[in-house]
Amino acid sequence: MSRFEDHLWREVVREHGDDLAQISRPRARRSRLARSKLAIGGGIGLAGAGTALAIVLSAATASPAFAVTLNPNGTVTVTV
């Protein structure tokens, strides 16, 4: 802090220190907005995980869109 701020803070504490010491801080309240953001974020995360799981499971059972065959004469056949 600068000298001015230090001086100002000392003045405030000197004049109002006793009053400030007796004041208790109010309890922090959780807002509805914070809870709704948490619920929305959880829902989006759950939907994303479900989508990823569906893609992985369907890709494992689907046949590939191409086939590569190595022939005995050294040629390669690609079937789409």
Side-chain angles (χ1 to χ4, degrees):
M1 283 195 271
S2 68
R3 283 183 165 179
F4 173 75
E5 290 171 332
D6 287 338
H7 181 67
L8 182 62
W9 180 249
R10 284 189 201 115
E11 286 293 317
V12 168
V13 170
R14 185 174 54 82
E15 291 182 21
H16 303 287
D18 295 333
D19 297 333
L20 293 173
Q22 295 174 1
I23 296 174
S24 63
R25 286 187 166 179
R27 289 189 292 166
R29 296 186 311 172
R30 274 190 138 169
S31 68
R32 285 186 176 187
L33 183 61
R35 279 184 251 152
S36 65
K37 283 183 181 179
L38 182 63
I40 290 170
I44 290 172
L46 190 59
T51 303
L53 182 63
I55 290 171
V56 167
L57 292 178
S58 67
T61 59
S63 61
F66 62 92
V68 177
T69 307
L70 296 174
N71 298 319
N73 62 358
T75 61
V76 178
T77 305
V78 178
T79 308
V80 180

